[in-house]
Amino acid sequence: MKAKDFLGITVLTPHIQNEGVADTLDRIVKAGATAVAVNTSVVAPSAEGEGSFQPPTDAGSSPRLLERKLWGKDALWLRSGPGHAANRDLFANSPYKPREPNDLTLSDGPIIGELIAEAKARGLKVFIQTSATAPPGLHDDDTPRLPDGRIPSNRMAATGCLASPAVRTYNRAWVQDIFAQYPQLDGIRPDWPEYPCYKLDEAFQDFNPHVKSWADEHGFDFESIRRDVLVFYDYIHGELTNNDLAAFATAERSQFAILDFYNQFPGVAEWFRLKAALSSGLLRDWKDAITTFGGPDKELSANAFILPFSYVTGLSPALAAKSCDSISVKLYAMHWSLMVEFWASALLKANPNLSETAVVPALVNLLDLANPDEGGTTIADYGYPKPDEPHPIALSVQGRKLEQAVSAARGQTKVNALVHGYGPLEDFKQRFEVALKSSVNGIWINRYGYLGDTKLEAIRELWAKR
């Protein structure tokens, strides 16, 4: 076990609004936290269908409930407002503008600054968590595209094109505005500085014209990549057979099948390289903005998806390490399980002759979500676990994911485990222990709303014994 002295907890503003700054910080400090991350908006209850539903519905699949209730409820609709009135002059060169302040900005917005000041007074590091590529009112022109030019339907994460100049210009202004408003911050944690991959179509992003321009400028043959990826996309949406999948279902055969796959679709491997270059370039922009407007000691701490999903998301730990002070690897086992359901269902719908018991083992092995001869064989073995159900991914696999990320970063930056708080107590404790026993440098926990008092006490006990 690597010695660990960093423990951060993400606390979204609704819980601070409900529990107060002092009480919230009392709880997380008692649990052992050395850092806190907070978002930049404030909320209030709203009528059904107005605003956003919390906890997130994850495209209608999530059965999550909050353990720390908001306004007396464990799930509810919320309207929101920006936590501060942004300096709109900073966004003069951006087609995207910050949200206009509203009544909530005036009544509740100051609580963010209060939390930051009090947390710093208690010796905690403080980070703002914000989206890496989702400016307000994202335009279709800046939305990721499939190789045939379509925008993926029903995306689970509505992020923007990593190559979009407009998105990057907004990001720079947003960073300047954040540090002008909250100069005490230690850094920023951008979420999704890569392409989401929850739905199968999301995994085939991004062929937006902005990517073509960026690729041409950086020495990539965009049209060749697009043609190969489109052929592959069409192949798995109507021509896939059980025999094709058999070679990918076992560890012994799949490594050779993957090499043969790259021979058949060479543009796909180049596409992975293009995505990695896009993500690392975006992170360079974030780091430059953070040090320019915050100062040389301010940190960039990127949230990142796990290997091998990161090949399709684009975030290469080795390349990201060149800009990031730390990378937080999402130990979100409930999402990994859900993606087996999402991807398998899409493949079965597109290829009616496929067998479910051929598709699921092939996906589970390719995505390294089970040990040999231990994975489920049907969609029913996966999906989104209920609040009282353990996440159906073996603890040894979760630990392996963390070690893969540490290895991939090559010692060039700190790697933290980002442990999700959702799930029953014992399952959460086991996941937290996996992170404690791993080679990661530190741990973030996402998020306070799923950390009831018994979980906070469990964190305190386990952290004290590390």
Side-chain angles (χ1 to χ4, degrees):
M1 181 194 304
K2 179 181 288 187
K4 297 173 179 62
D5 58 6
F6 181 91
L7 175 62
I9 297 178
T10 304
V11 183
L12 299 189
T13 49
H15 297 284
I16 309 167
Q17 292 174 252
N18 273 257
E19 300 182 12
V21 169
D23 286 352
T24 302
L25 289 175
D26 283 347
R27 292 188 182 94
I28 68 169
V29 168
K30 182 180 179 181
T34 63
V36 62
V38 66
N39 60 318
T40 60
S41 62
V42 286
V43 300
S46 63
E48 184 174 351
E50 295 181 6
S52 63
F53 192 78
Q54 290 295 323
T57 60
D58 288 350
S61 61
S62 172
R64 283 192 264 172
L65 297 172
L66 296 167
E67 292 187 35
R68 308 201 72 85
K69 293 185 178 182
L70 297 176
W71 290 277
K73 298 181 179 180
D74 56 17
L76 74 168
W77 285 90
L78 297 171
R79 66 184 183 94
S80 71
H84 68 276
N87 181 351
R88 300 182 73 82
D89 290 343
L90 301 179
F91 297 82
N93 295 325
S94 169
Y96 294 106
K97 307 303 178 185
R99 290 193 298 164
E100 292 283 358
N102 61 11
D103 61 311
L104 296 177
T105 309
L106 182 64
S107 63
D108 292 79
I111 203 168
I112 298 174
E114 293 168 15
L115 175 88
I116 293 170
E118 179 61 22
K120 293 298 295 181
R122 296 186 186 213
L124 297 176
K125 298 184 82 169
V126 186
F127 293 79
I128 285 291
Q129 179 159 305
T130 189
S131 174
T133 61
L138 184 69
H139 305 156
D140 282 355
D141 287 350
D142 297 317
T143 299
R145 303 268 172 167
L146 296 173
D148 62 5
R150 291 180 295 125
I151 294 176
S153 61
N154 193 28
R155 295 192 300 156
M156 192 161 136
T159 59
C161 171
L162 271 60
S164 164
V167 169
R168 294 193 182 202
T169 299
Y170 172 84
N171 286 346
R172 189 170 182 84
W174 179 226
V175 169
Q176 185 175 7
D177 187 70
I178 287 174
F179 280 112
Q181 182 70 28
Y182 308 117
Q184 287 182 284
L185 289 172
D186 291 279
I188 296 180
R189 300 176 67 211
D191 196 26
W192 285 114
E194 51 187 333
Y195 286 104
C197 59
Y198 293 114
K199 302 292 186 68
L200 186 60
D201 269 10
E202 284 180 308
F204 279 86
Q205 302 172 132
D206 180 14
F207 293 88
N208 183 293
H210 293 307
V211 176
K212 172 176 169 46
S213 298
W214 193 94
D216 291 345
E217 292 172 5
H218 291 81
F220 290 90
D221 186 344
F222 178 84
E223 281 304 323
S224 177
I225 293 171
R226 190 193 67 79
R227 284 194 301 270
D228 265 16
V229 175
L230 180 59
V231 170
F232 174 54
Y233 181 91
D234 289 342
Y235 179 77
I236 67 170
H237 285 79
E239 302 176 37
L240 202 58
T241 68
N242 289 333
N243 187 57
D244 293 330
L245 294 172
F248 293 102
T250 63
E252 295 81 5
R253 296 176 61 191
S254 62
Q255 57 184 316
F256 301 107
I258 290 171
L259 291 174
D260 184 62
F261 164 82
Y262 286 143
N263 285 334
Q264 188 176 357
F265 303 103
V268 172
E270 188 68 355
W271 176 49
F272 292 160
R273 195 173 73 87
L274 169 59
K275 282 191 170 186
L278 275 171
S279 177
S280 62
L282 179 78
L283 287 168
R284 280 195 302 274
D285 283 2
W286 272 97
K287 180 62 175 178
D288 180 69
I290 287 170
T291 55
T292 298
F293 301 119
D297 60 333
K298 303 302 184 182
E299 298 181 27
L300 168 61
S301 179
N303 293 348
F305 223 70
I306 58 162
L307 289 160
F309 289 102
S310 57
Y311 285 104
V312 295
T313 70
L315 197 147
S316 159
L319 294 179
K322 297 178 181 179
S323 301
C324 295
D325 297 282
S326 62
I327 297 170
S328 298
V329 183
K330 295 178 179 179
L331 205 65
Y332 291 6
M334 77 289 191
H335 280 170
W336 311 344
S337 179
L338 174 66
M339 288 161 65
V340 174
E341 176 186 348
F342 278 166
W343 287 26
S345 297
L347 289 173
L348 288 166
K349 181 179 180 180
N351 302 275
N353 294 325
L354 284 183
S355 163
E356 182 176 332
T357 54
V359 173
V360 172
L363 285 176
V364 170
N365 182 60
L366 274 173
L367 301 175
D368 187 31
L369 296 179
N371 296 314
D373 303 319
E374 290 183 1
T377 59
T378 67
I379 291 174
D381 294 320
Y382 294 96
Y384 217 123
K386 295 178 181 177
D388 60 349
E389 293 178 340
H391 299 179
I393 305 293
L395 295 171
S396 58
V397 173
Q398 297 183 45
R400 184 162 70 234
K401 295 298 178 192
L402 295 179
E403 300 303 336
Q404 289 169 353
V406 171
S407 176
R410 301 174 187 169
Q412 299 303 304
T413 191
K414 293 179 180 178
V415 175
N416 298 318
L418 180 50
V419 180
H420 208 288
Y422 173 68
L425 174 62
E426 289 304 315
D427 186 54
F428 169 78
K429 287 171 60 177
Q430 290 174 342
R431 284 183 275 122
F432 188 66
E433 286 184 288
V434 164
L436 279 175
K437 294 176 181 177
S438 74
S439 299
V440 299
N441 298 92
I443 298 173
W444 276 101
I445 301 177
N446 192 58
R447 48 192 166 128
Y448 181 71
Y450 302 112
L451 304 179
D453 289 342
T454 53
K455 280 184 184 171
L456 287 171
E457 178 60 20
I459 293 167
R460 186 194 68 77
E461 292 177 356
L462 291 168
W463 185 249
K465 294 177 183 176
R466 71 191 185 283

